[in-house]
Amino acid sequence: MRLRKMAAVLAAGVLFSGAASAEELALVAGSIGKDISELRMQLDAFEKESGHTVKIVEMPASTTDQFGQYRLWLSAGNQDVDVYRTDVIWAPQLASSFVDLSGPLAEEAKKQNPSVIQSQTVDGKLVAFPMYTDAPALYYRTDLLEKYGKEPPKTWKELTDTAKEIQDKEREAGNSQMNGFVFQGAPYEGLTCDGLEWIASNGGGQIVSPEGDITINNPKAAEAIEMAKGWVGTIAPEGVLSYKEEESRGVWQTGNAVFMRNWPYAYALSNGDDSAVKGKFDVAPLPAGEGGKSAACLGGWNLAVSKYSQHQEAAIALVKFLGSEKAQKERAMNTARLPTVPELYDDPDIAKAQPIVAAWGEVVENAVPRPSAPTKKQYNEVSKEFWTAVNETLSGRGSAADNLDKLEKRLRRLKRSAWE
Amino acid sequence: MANVQAGVPPTEKALEAERAGARPRSDLSRQRLRSAWLFLAPMLLVLALVAGWPLLKTIWFSLTNASLSNLEGADFVGLRNYWEYVDYGDGEGEYFGLLFDPQWWNAVWNTVYYSVISVAIETVLGLVFALVLNAEFKGRAFVRAAVLIPWAIPTIVSAKMWAWMMNDQFGILNDMLMAIGIISSPIAWTADPDTAMWAVIIVDVWKTTPFMALLILAGLQMVPGDVYEAAKIDGIHPVKVFFKVTLPLIRPAILVAVIFRALDALRVFDLIYVLTPNNTQTKSMSVFAQENLFQFDKFAYGSAASTLLFLVIAFITLFYIKVARLDLGGRGS
């Protein structure tokens, strides 16, 4: 009897250790551009190195869609997903569902940009580890600007004029599909970024100040949104009101836009062999309002380990691998995703492969964060109210001043005495 | 009363007494009642588990301050999610809660508007389709099957498919309309506030007309052929036959089809969520509830919206049944 019991314990031990050394992990990430195939490559390397296997659960590109699904899974204690790729704005809202990484990844965190680590830390808990950061660029067609003797615009006014002139002349020349400017105008998180950039670069503040005061209802902000409203139907197609990143890139990369506002991932793709604008474009920091300063919305994606995961140790190892300097460098070189390790901006290999990355160190440094920290768990609703007000103004339902006035009232109702 | 004996089938009188609420006396009717309950029990149990319990739970959550991260520890807060007056002092104050939320009422309006228009169009088109499919012609079986394809495609897929077809730059719809010269510049179907709701309605009509056609066709096949023969012999005009014979006879089928469709339409979620996400012009009650439940960490508020959604649908359905029945009764006499 004893022998048999011992054998059973032994067998169980062998089985268990076998399971512990080669675990099956699942990582969930939104799919945009070449992100998934790039991720797969890195995961293959991780699998070889660690012996674990990692499956990718692919999600839609819209961060808003992803968030709803993740919240549902996490609140149901889903054990099927171990690692979540999280947006920079989610940390305060999902903090309670993720493992604290500040202990296990303390060494690695020191190499990262402290402000990014800060943005992912909630009450001393490192909710997610940075994978890459994001700060948008103004893409412009060098061939068209040269043809009409124009300089890359420094202000929105210049952009409007240049875009109008080139678009009209190109259309006269028979290029009827040409548009002046494409951006992200659909009602979703991306429009909060675009809108924040217009407003912040015009001296209109950041919707909600870092102290939590609602600052959105001001003439500078209204002026910026009125300006953007003037683009729809003139230099931007009407459909821009339903464009997200990939729709705008679709118009741009088929050669049908003079300017585009987009994240650096589009740089690598626009230089791909199937791109109609390959070698015919360059990037510049976003324009500013009159007397304002260019403002880039701070984006970026991070990796978080679910506290419901059955393989937390392996999952943390995976996060460490994907957030490492080596993986970030690879990602920067292949897909122009901006690293969160500051040294990589001086890396000569990256500068050669993706010049935008080397040039973007300063833009990242000065990027404007969305008000996700001061508005805490209510950020998503604040953001929705903001993008709704902007989208309604752009589509011609009410003036910017009226809609911002309404927005302020709604935000005040949301906040009541304090954000929670 | 003594005339009711065991083993004898219940008489009209006994049944009437039963209907009137008198206690059934006979063993048989008691036995029948018992077996009826016995047969119904599994269904009632399943219904209570999958429909009743979640509904009660939702109503309960709507009376608490629950959030997704803290469902168990939710505290009862009364009707605060529906109706709350916050006093700022000095006679100033503000109403909060779902009943004072213009975005909720906007969602209710959108849903009702969408339901009425889409179900009306689908009913008329479905009737036309059913009449065509009911006629004898070569390849009828094939056409009947082919018509069902839009209904067989999952809504998510058809919504995404139509989103591409309606794309302003690459969409085939704009391309076709421009080629035949109906429009001169591309329309941004899903983005333009004037067309967004119509884009949703077009896709819904495309998708669910086959369903209506199928239900009405079933009704049409119940109409006996000799009625038409008699009308033909009497030399009555086919249009008159349709309005005086066909329509009254398939009326019950149409009423049932409409109620099925209306219930579905009032709960619409996936089509709008995929085709025109976050658009205030098309946001339905279900989308509003989902948004609050999962996006905004306002689980209790979202539950309140779900509860009101249930009540709104229940009210509309009861109203419809009542109106339809009254009409039917009047027709008989």
Side-chain angles (χ1 to χ4, degrees):
Chain A
M1 279 308 260
R2 230 185 211 177
L3 258 174
R4 202 180 278 175
K5 214 174 190 178
M6 263 171 74
V9 168
L10 260 175
V14 169
L15 271 176
F16 184 73
S17 66
S21 68
E23 293 177 54
E24 269 185 46
L25 297 171
L27 183 154
V28 60
S31 161
I32 194 163
K34 284 198 295 191
D35 279 2
I36 295 290
S37 52
E38 164 72 12
L39 185 61
R40 190 65 257 172
M41 257 168 53
Q42 298 198 324
L43 291 179
D44 289 345
F46 174 75
E47 287 182 353
K48 224 178 248 166
E49 195 185 290
S50 66
H52 303 309
T53 48
V54 190
K55 173 178 90 188
I56 302 179
V57 181
E58 215 172 307
M59 293 295 287
S62 158
T63 163
T64 309
D65 289 350
Q66 291 172 36
F67 183 86
Q69 185 62 60
Y70 297 171
R71 166 102 88 196
L72 194 57
W73 282 343
L74 288 169
S75 60
N78 184 333
Q79 299 180 346
D80 299 335
V81 177
D82 305 287
V83 180
Y84 289 79
R85 198 183 73 161
T86 60
D87 201 336
V88 67
I89 49 177
W90 294 350
Q93 303 177 70
L94 295 177
S96 62
S97 304
F98 291 132
V99 171
D100 183 4
L101 298 171
S102 61
L105 298 180
E107 277 306 305
E108 286 72 18
K110 281 186 198 142
K111 292 187 204 144
Q112 305 282 335
N113 182 343
S115 66
V116 178
I117 293 290
Q118 183 57 40
S119 76
Q120 297 307 304
T121 305
V122 179
D123 300 331
K125 175 177 174 180
L126 182 58
V127 175
F129 194 79
M131 194 175 173
Y132 57 81
T133 187
D134 242 346
L138 180 72
Y139 289 72
Y140 62 91
R141 288 279 297 275
T142 43
D143 57 334
L144 290 176
L145 261 62
E146 215 165 276
K147 185 172 165 189
Y148 295 98
K150 299 283 176 193
E151 289 292 310
K154 292 263 183 291
T155 65
W156 295 112
K157 175 87 178 57
E158 284 172 33
L159 175 131
T160 314
D161 296 342
T162 309
K164 179 97 181 101
E165 191 183 329
I166 298 183
Q167 172 189 287
D168 289 353
K169 287 191 175 156
E170 279 292 302
R171 284 189 183 174
E172 263 169 43
N175 196 351
S176 67
Q177 296 275 305
M178 184 55 76
N179 294 294
F181 182 38
V182 286
F183 53 94
Q184 291 80 46
Y188 81 119
E189 187 61 36
L191 181 55
T192 297
C193 286
D194 286 39
L196 177 63
E197 285 155 6
W198 306 329
I199 291 173
S201 68
N202 200 37
Q206 303 179 27
I207 309 170
V208 174
S209 76
E211 293 76 38
D213 299 322
I214 299 161
T215 60
I216 185 61
N217 191 11
N218 65 71
K220 286 276 182 197
E223 186 186 82
I225 303 203
E226 272 311 325
M227 165 196 80
K229 180 182 177 177
W231 296 336
V232 179
T234 58
I235 59 170
E238 301 256 358
V240 80
L241 298 175
S242 65
Y243 286 1
K244 297 179 189 145
E245 282 86 357
E246 291 290 72
E247 285 88 350
S248 16
R249 186 170 68 84
V251 176
W252 158 261
Q253 208 170 308
T254 45
N256 291 329
V258 186
F259 296 110
M260 169 177 74
R261 180 266 180 214
N262 214 328
W263 307 94
Y265 84 97
Y267 188 87
L269 294 163
S270 301
N271 261 331
D273 287 332
D274 57 352
S275 163
V277 296
K278 185 184 178 184
K280 293 192 216 161
F281 75 95
D282 206 348
V283 289
L286 292 175
E290 300 292 339
K293 215 175 88 191
S294 164
C297 175
L298 180 68
W301 290 82
N302 309 277
L303 294 162
V305 175
S306 162
K307 78 173 184 195
Y308 308 104
S309 161
Q310 304 282 43
H311 321 282
Q312 288 184 5
E313 229 165 88
I316 291 173
L318 173 61
V319 171
K320 184 174 160 185
F321 181 89
L322 289 175
S324 71
E325 202 175 326
K326 182 168 162 278
Q328 293 211 3
K329 180 172 170 179
E330 225 173 74
R331 209 172 291 124
M333 289 178 65
N334 290 335
T335 53
R337 288 299 195 184
L338 300 173
T340 53
V341 179
E343 282 83 61
L344 287 178
Y345 288 94
D346 302 324
D347 190 292
D349 297 338
I350 299 179
K352 200 166 155 242
Q354 304 287 1
I356 186 177
V357 177
W360 240 237
E362 204 183 325
V363 178
V364 170
E365 201 71 14
N366 297 318
V368 181
R370 281 163 274 173
S372 55
T375 56
K376 299 179 188 165
K377 282 186 180 166
Q378 287 176 297
Y379 171 72
N380 270 7
E381 206 171 358
V382 171
S383 181
K384 184 211 82 171
E385 295 293 358
F386 176 68
W387 85 50
T388 304
V390 176
N391 183 269
E392 292 202 332
T393 314
L394 295 188
S395 62
R397 274 171 284 160
S399 72
D402 288 351
N403 283 337
L404 289 186
D405 195 48
K406 266 187 236 159
L407 173 64
E408 186 194 14
K409 290 194 177 106
R410 279 186 186 160
L411 292 185
R412 261 205 246 130
R413 275 174 72 96
L414 270 183
K415 182 184 174 185
R416 300 205 194 179
S417 55
W419 299 108
E420 48 185 47
Chain B
M1 286 297 181
N3 61 349
V4 184
Q5 283 163 12
V8 180
T11 59
E12 273 298 303
K13 236 183 183 175
L15 279 177
E16 238 164 57
E18 224 172 90
R19 268 189 226 124
R23 240 177 68 219
R25 293 233 172 148
S26 82
D27 283 348
L28 183 71
S29 55
R30 237 180 282 154
Q31 198 188 332
R32 279 186 173 180
L33 210 64
R34 251 205 314 277
S35 44
W37 279 113
L38 206 69
F39 281 117
L40 281 175
M43 188 203 69
L44 290 175
L45 191 75
V46 170
L47 261 186
L49 277 176
V50 302
W53 175 242
L55 182 65
L56 286 178
K57 197 90 186 181
T58 304
I59 296 175
W60 159 248
F61 277 131
S62 77
L63 302 173
T64 67
N65 59 0
S67 71
L68 260 184
S69 43
N70 183 24
L71 283 181
E72 296 312 316
D75 298 317
F76 181 76
V77 297
L79 292 174
R80 222 170 70 183
N81 289 312
Y82 297 94
W83 189 53
E84 185 190 10
Y85 184 76
V86 176
D87 200 342
Y88 298 146
D90 303 331
E92 287 208 18
E94 219 177 328
Y95 282 102
F96 286 91
L98 201 55
L99 294 173
F100 296 90
D101 189 339
Q103 299 184 14
W104 162 252
W105 291 112
N106 175 49
V108 174
W109 165 246
N110 283 345
T111 315
V112 172
Y113 179 86
Y114 156 83
S115 302
V116 169
I117 306 239
S118 66
V119 174
I121 299 176
E122 284 153 20
T123 311
V124 174
L125 277 182
L127 183 60
V128 173
F129 276 38
L131 288 170
V132 171
L133 293 177
N134 198 37
E136 298 273 354
F137 59 91
K138 235 185 173 173
R140 185 171 73 165
F142 175 76
V143 176
R144 276 187 183 175
V147 160
L148 278 177
I149 289 175
W151 178 248
I153 299 175
T155 312
I156 299 285
V157 177
S158 49
K160 202 73 211 169
M161 193 172 84
W162 274 92
W164 279 113
M165 286 170 39
M166 288 175 166
N167 183 295
D168 65 318
Q169 300 283 317
F170 320 112
I172 191 168
L173 202 61
N174 279 331
D175 197 50
M176 277 162 47
L177 290 178
M178 277 164 76
I180 55 174
I182 291 185
I183 54 173
S184 57
S185 61
I187 296 177
W189 293 97
T190 55
D192 191 325
D194 301 327
T195 55
M197 183 53 104
W198 280 100
V200 172
I201 291 175
I202 288 170
V203 180
D204 191 67
V205 167
W206 175 82
K207 185 184 161 54
T208 36
T209 300
F211 171 78
M212 289 298 258
L214 199 68
L215 285 187
I216 298 173
L217 181 62
L220 272 177
Q221 289 182 333
M222 302 284 281
V223 179
D226 44 6
V227 184
Y228 293 111
E229 270 167 38
K232 211 171 181 182
I233 290 167
D234 290 346
I236 301 180
H237 195 270
V239 175
K240 200 171 178 190
V241 173
F242 172 74
F243 282 107
K244 293 282 176 192
V245 178
T246 313
L247 211 50
L249 282 172
I250 60 169
R251 207 184 140 86
I254 293 180
L255 289 178
V256 169
V258 165
I259 204 155
F260 269 128
R261 251 327 284 156
L263 279 177
D264 251 6
L266 288 166
R267 291 176 306 156
V268 63
F269 174 78
D270 39 9
L271 175 59
I272 290 174
Y273 188 77
V274 174
L275 194 64
T276 58
N278 301 315
N279 192 327
T280 37
Q281 298 300 107
T282 59
K283 193 167 282 176
S284 71
M285 290 190 280
S286 297
V287 175
F288 178 93
Q290 187 268 356
E291 197 176 73
N292 279 287
L293 285 168
F294 305 120
Q295 294 279 355
F296 301 157
D297 202 31
K298 287 162 81 175
F299 196 78
Y301 199 66
S303 298
S306 304
T307 307
L308 274 196
L309 183 154
F310 167 75
L311 290 177
V312 169
I313 294 183
F315 176 77
I316 293 177
T317 313
L318 287 175
F319 180 77
Y320 172 82
I321 289 178
K322 185 115 183 140
V323 168
R325 260 208 199 136
L326 276 179
D327 231 328
L328 275 179
R331 179 161 294 276
S333 58

